[in-house]
């Protein structure tokens, strides 16, 4: 394996007795789009700030191409950053904002001019060059901030929830822009968000944070299809959790008893469970079928509500055990409308379900 | 709300009347002085028997008055510059600093505003007498800087509190040193506050009379001191003219501030 471009090594940050970041270690290859995902307070920003140099880690190291960044002051790290808050310089025009990092680097005027033009072109705001930040929308301000952060060709771009202040539609629009810019510039991006859809949409890899640790790191598919814990399964995508009791595991296939007494066999078990141990069975909403298929397990439910969303149908069902479950059958199973009557059974492939300790 | 203006009914009339009365009470003396300064009566008779500019001519022809006005302007300008400079440092540590006793320091820096001026004047006069600064321009400037400091600190602190520190951080990741970031980004962003601070500090010194009376010497007099002295010596309309000029300049500065603030904040 080639040496990592950016290496975060056992970074730890404590505030008094409180440990905000526990020995986080990540290697980031050049050009990767890595997202820190996690609930509020899980240490994403703190980790990012350690890379930016706003917060010195209590221990650990951050290496860029094998050289430690920690002894380099923030302004000499040559890192790009877009903040959650609007941070354009209010007294400078859009063009002067983008030019600022070049001017403090004393680049010649001709180069500054050309680069500002290129950058405003990149974020498609050429026409706004002479505007002042106060006369821009939130989305435009963040795009200018992006142009400013990229103007000096930083090797790494840090983004701390840059879109969280924007409404949903605008967010999606700028996500598409960010993807395009990542493709066009090839810059290595570390992106922070607590929106799992945004993370899945943008990233090559996602590091899922929980209470200052990385719970799991991998591609969106890894986290979605192979979650290592109930926390990951619950955070990425939609999930239904059913209480169950573990009976036995043979060759990685577990047999469990659900709350209503029915037995399900052939569930993937990645960790060993004891006999009689309380477990939670996780089934994705789209793994349910309304009609029985080959090798499917059945679940007796009462259909509470059915709604139609054009491309798919959403059914809310309640198990005998009282768990409410979300069912989004894929189109092949939508043929029957009989599912809307009560006293139904729904089906799922046990191999697509996950087992976690309760 | 209890005191909703739209629902006051007939009380509105009473309120308007009362407000007018208070305004008149505050403004009428000034208006009288200005009118008298243009009146031809040597004895400040009202209404004036005729109108004239001769008091202003006398005023502008008297080097003592011109001298006093220049002294005032010079001291006020120096006090304003010093107060703004000190106020900037003080505001940064009050707003950004994380040390114990920050609130105490803030209180201390604002005391000149609430302390009875006479008490302050006597104290600083006694002190300056001892160290030989009484009656000197430097002493004058120091005393007025202390008095002007709260007027500088309040607007600068307010502006700094309204300025998002992340913007300064953004300048730093962009490659500006912390000092550069403050000089090139933070200071221009809070320039309205700094500008207001300069004007208020200037005015605090410009029309200050109590400390000035203690600090003054026969050769070092500010305009308010000269007015005060002339009033006690002889009640001439020239004093009214000088007062009018004092009021006029203050008014001009206030209007200029308001206009500039509006222009800058756009
Ligand atoms: N300066 C500080 N002093 C004390 N505690 C802090 C400080 N900064 C952060 N923390 C704590 O560290 C923990 C992690 O904070 P951090 O800002 O990294 O979370 P986050 O994952 O970015 O959350 P969010 O999504 O809300 O931004 C939080 O519990 C926070 O309260
Ligand atoms: Mg954060």
């Amino acid at each position: 394996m080639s040496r990592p471009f950016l290496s975060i090594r056992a970074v730890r940050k404590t505030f008094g007795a409180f440990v905000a970041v526990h020995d986080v270690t990540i290697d980031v290859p050049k050009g990767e789009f890595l997202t820190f995902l996690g609930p509020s307070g899980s240490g994403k920003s703190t980790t990012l700030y350690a890379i930016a140099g706003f917060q010195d880690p209590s221990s650990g190291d951050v290496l860029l191409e094998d050289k430690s960044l920690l002894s380099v002051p923030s302004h000499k790290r040559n890192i790009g950053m877009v903040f959650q808050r609007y941070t354009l310089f209010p007294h400078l025009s859009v063009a002067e904002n983008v030019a600022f990092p070049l001017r403090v680097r004393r680049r010649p005027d001709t180069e500054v001019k050309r680069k500002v033009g290129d950058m405003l072109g990149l974020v498609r705001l050429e026409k706004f060059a002479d505007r002042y930040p106060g006369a821009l929308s939130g989305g435009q301000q963040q795009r200018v901030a992006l142009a400013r952060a990229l103007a000096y060709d930083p090797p790494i771009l840090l983004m701390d929830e840059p879109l969280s202040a924007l409404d949903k539609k605008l967010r999606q629009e700028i996500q598409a822009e960010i993807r395009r810019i990542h493709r066009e510039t090839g810059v290595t991006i570390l992106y922070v968000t607590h929106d799992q859809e945004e993370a899945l949409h943008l990233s090559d890899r996602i590091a899922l944070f929980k209470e200052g640790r990385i719970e799991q790191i991998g591609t969106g598919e890894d986290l979605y299809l192979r979650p290592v814990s109930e926390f990951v399964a619950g955070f990425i995508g939609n999930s239904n959790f059913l209480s169950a009791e573990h009976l036995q595991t043979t060759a990685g296939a577990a047999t469990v008893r659900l709350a209503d007494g029915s037995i399900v066999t052939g569930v993937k078990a990645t960790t060993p469970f004891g006999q009689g141990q309380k477990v939670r069975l996780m089934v994705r909403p789209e793994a349910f079928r309304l009609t029985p298929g080959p090798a499917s397990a059945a679940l007796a439910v009462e259909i509470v509500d059915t709604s139609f969303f054009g491309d798919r149908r959403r059914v809310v069902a309640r198990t005998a055990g009282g768990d409410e479950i979300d069912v989004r059958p894929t189109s092949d199973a939508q043929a029957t409308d009989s599912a809307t009557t009560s006293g139904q059974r729904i089906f799922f492939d046990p191999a697509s379900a996950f087992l976690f300790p309760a | 709300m209890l005191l909703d203006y739209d629902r006051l009914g007939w009380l509105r009339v009473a309120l308007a009347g009362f407000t007018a009365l208070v305004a008149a009470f505050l403004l009428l003396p000034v208006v009288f002085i200005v009118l008298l300064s243009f009146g031809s009566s040597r004895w400040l008779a009202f209404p004036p028997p005729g109108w004239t500019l001769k008091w202003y001519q006398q005023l502008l022809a008297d080097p003592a008055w011109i001298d006093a006005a220049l002294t005032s302007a010079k001291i006020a300008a120096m006090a304003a510059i010093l107060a703004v400079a000190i106020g900037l440092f003080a505001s940064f540590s009050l707003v950004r600093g994380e040390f114990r006793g920050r609130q105490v320091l803030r209180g201390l820096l604002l005391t000149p505003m609430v302390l009875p001026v006479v008490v302050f004047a006597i104290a600083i006069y006694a002190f300056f007498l001892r160290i030989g600064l009484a009656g000197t321009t430097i002493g004058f400037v120091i005393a007025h800087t202390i008095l002007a400091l709260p007027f500088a600190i309040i607007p600068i602190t307010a502006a700094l509190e309204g300025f998002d520190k992340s913007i300064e951080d953004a300048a730093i990741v962009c490659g500006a040193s912390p000092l550069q970031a403050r000089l090139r980004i933070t200071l221009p962003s809070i320039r309205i506050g700094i500008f207001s601070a300069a004007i208020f500090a200037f005015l605090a010194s410009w029309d200050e009379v109590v400390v000035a009376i203690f600090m003054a010497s026969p050769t070092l007099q500010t305009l308010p001191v000269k007015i005060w002295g002339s009033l006690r010596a002889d009640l001439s309309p020239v004093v009214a003219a000088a007062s009018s000029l004092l009021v006029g300049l203050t008014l001009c500065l206030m209007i200029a501030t308001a206009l500039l603030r509006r222009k800058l904040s756009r």
Side-chain angles (χ1 to χ4, degrees):
Chain A
M1 198 188 133
S2 62
R3 70 193 171 130
F5 179 62
L6 175 71
S7 184
I8 301 165
R9 298 219 180 130
V11 164
R12 181 186 192 83
K13 178 71 191 179
T14 52
F15 294 105
F18 176 74
V19 186
V21 178
H22 287 269
D23 306 326
V24 163
T25 297
I26 314 171
D27 281 341
V28 188
K30 193 174 168 86
E32 180 168 63
F33 196 125
L34 175 69
T35 295
F36 294 175
L37 177 65
S40 189
S42 56
K44 311 177 299 283
S45 299
T46 308
T47 309
L48 206 67
Y49 288 170
I51 301 168
F54 291 136
Q55 252 160 18
D56 291 328
S58 314
S59 63
D61 205 351
V62 179
L63 305 169
L64 180 63
E65 296 187 303
D66 284 340
K67 283 188 284 290
S68 175
L69 282 180
L70 294 188
S71 54
V72 183
S74 259
H75 66 281
K76 295 214 174 112
R77 290 194 187 188
N78 202 34
I79 284 177
M81 181 149 181
V82 179
F83 296 70
Q84 175 173 7
R85 304 212 268 199
Y86 301 137
T87 58
L88 294 187
F89 311 134
H91 63 293
L92 297 180
S93 70
V94 165
E96 276 307 313
N97 262 278
V98 178
F100 181 80
L102 302 168
R103 297 223 188 277
V104 294
R105 285 173 174 74
R106 300 183 184 287
R107 298 281 171 77
D109 266 353
T110 48
E111 186 196 330
V112 172
K113 221 169 153 190
R114 182 179 51 77
K115 198 72 199 180
V116 169
D118 287 354
M119 286 301 128
L120 290 181
L122 187 67
V123 298
R124 304 179 198 235
L125 285 174
E126 300 97 324
K127 287 198 203 111
F128 294 81
D130 297 325
R131 288 254 190 120
Y132 280 81
L136 295 180
S137 73
Q140 288 165 342
Q141 291 197 43
Q142 291 304 65
R143 276 151 72 196
V144 176
L146 187 59
R148 183 179 66 187
L150 289 172
Y152 43 106
D153 299 315
I156 307 172
L157 176 62
L158 309 177
M159 303 176 92
D160 189 2
E161 309 201 28
L163 308 184
S164 61
L166 309 178
D167 63 51
K168 187 162 182 187
K169 192 170 170 307
L170 201 56
R171 219 159 46 218
Q172 288 171 346
E173 226 172 274
I174 301 186
Q175 280 169 16
E177 296 266 297
I178 293 175
R179 268 176 75 99
R180 176 179 59 79
I181 289 167
H182 178 238
R183 236 185 3 252
E184 285 176 15
T185 58
V187 63
T188 308
I189 297 183
L190 265 60
Y191 191 96
V192 169
T193 181
H194 53 240
D195 176 350
Q196 49 111 359
E197 269 181 45
E198 188 168 289
L200 288 170
H201 179 52
L202 291 173
S203 334
D204 297 325
R205 279 197 305 162
I206 297 172
L208 184 57
F209 277 69
K210 181 195 179 192
E211 292 167 7
R213 298 174 205 272
I214 294 187
E215 185 83 355
Q216 185 173 0
I217 180 164
T219 63
E221 248 177 70
D222 285 339
L223 270 63
Y224 190 82
L225 298 177
R226 290 172 286 281
V228 299
S229 66
E230 182 180 341
F231 176 78
V232 178
F235 207 89
I236 306 277
N238 299 296
S239 340
N240 296 298
F241 290 98
L242 302 166
S243 335
E245 186 190 336
H246 175 251
L247 297 179
Q248 59 166 56
T249 302
T250 38
T255 303
V256 298
R257 179 170 34 222
L258 297 181
D260 64 357
S262 59
I263 307 285
V264 179
T265 54
V267 182
K268 262 186 302 189
T270 42
T271 48
F273 295 99
Q275 194 182 350
Q277 188 182 345
K278 292 262 169 264
V279 290
R280 307 252 282 158
L281 184 70
M282 193 277 274
V283 188
R284 298 278 185 205
E286 63 276 14
F288 283 111
R289 300 276 178 278
L290 299 180
T291 52
S296 63
L299 202 58
V301 293
E302 184 191 349
I303 306 289
V304 179
D305 187 26
T306 313
S307 32
F308 180 61
F309 283 101
D311 60 337
R312 55 177 43 215
R313 186 182 299 273
R314 179 170 177 230
V315 178
V316 179
R318 191 177 298 125
T319 64
D323 292 321
E324 207 158 85
I325 53 179
D326 188 6
V327 180
R328 299 188 193 182
T330 40
S331 50
D332 69 320
Q334 284 188 15
T336 57
D337 246 354
S338 58
T340 48
T341 56
S342 68
Q344 281 295 321
R345 295 198 303 163
I346 54 174
F347 307 89
F348 64 93
D349 176 4
S352 68
F354 301 89
L355 213 53
F356 301 111
Chain B
M1 216 171 82
L2 185 63
L3 283 176
D4 187 340
Y5 182 76
D6 290 327
R7 288 201 266 141
L8 280 179
W10 64 271
L11 268 176
R12 264 196 286 186
V13 183
L15 187 66
F18 182 71
T19 310
L21 218 64
V22 171
F25 188 76
L26 290 173
L27 281 177
L28 270 183
V30 178
V31 173
F32 267 98
I33 299 243
V34 173
L35 287 178
L36 287 173
S37 75
F38 292 106
S40 58
S41 158
R42 168 76 187 82
W43 309 108
L44 296 174
F46 196 86
W51 302 102
T52 174
L53 280 177
K54 74 174 171 206
W55 312 121
Y56 284 90
Q57 279 161 357
Q58 273 185 30
L59 181 75
L60 294 178
D62 184 346
W65 280 107
I66 302 292
D67 209 40
L70 287 179
T71 305
S72 264
K74 192 173 71 184
I75 287 170
M78 287 195 284
I81 291 168
L82 280 176
V84 168
I86 299 170
L88 268 173
F89 284 105
S91 299
F92 266 100
S93 48
L94 288 178
V95 175
R96 299 280 181 80
E98 278 166 16
F99 53 92
R100 288 182 51 179
R102 221 174 77 207
Q103 289 311 319
V104 178
L105 181 65
R106 164 177 248 142
L108 195 71
L109 286 167
L110 297 184
T111 33
M113 213 162 73
V114 285
L115 197 72
V117 196
V118 183
V119 175
F120 173 74
I122 293 173
I124 201 152
Y125 179 63
F127 179 58
F128 279 0
L129 262 188
R130 183 164 292 203
I131 61 173
L133 278 180
T136 66
T137 307
I138 297 177
F140 229 125
V141 170
I142 292 175
H144 271 184
T145 301
I146 296 171
L147 280 183
L149 202 53
F151 295 94
I153 287 179
I154 289 170
I156 296 177
T157 307
L160 206 52
E161 271 162 356
F163 173 77
D164 191 343
K165 169 97 166 34
S166 314
I167 298 178
E168 201 176 285
D169 289 342
I172 292 173
V173 255
C174 276
S177 69
L179 181 67
Q180 267 181 324
R182 283 191 182 175
L183 290 179
R184 295 179 62 166
I185 302 301
T186 310
L187 287 191
S189 300
I190 59 166
R191 63 196 192 280
I192 297 181
I194 296 175
F195 181 74
S196 308
I199 299 291
F200 290 149
F202 182 92
L203 289 179
S205 161
W206 172 252
D207 62 8
E208 202 287 326
V209 66
V210 180
V211 171
I213 286 173
F214 280 86
M215 287 294 144
S217 72
T219 53
L220 187 70
Q221 282 197 338
T222 59
L223 200 51
V225 175
K226 173 91 175 133
I227 291 174
W228 170 251
S230 308
L231 270 183
R232 287 164 38 119
D234 72 318
L235 194 66
S236 134
V238 177
V239 180
S243 306
S244 301
L245 283 183
L246 193 75
V247 171
L249 191 95
T250 306
L251 207 64
C252 286
L253 277 178
M254 302 289 265
I255 292 171
T257 318
L259 289 179
L260 241 131
R261 283 182 80 111
R262 193 190 294 179
K263 186 163 166 253
L264 288 180
S265 60
R266 240 183 321 170

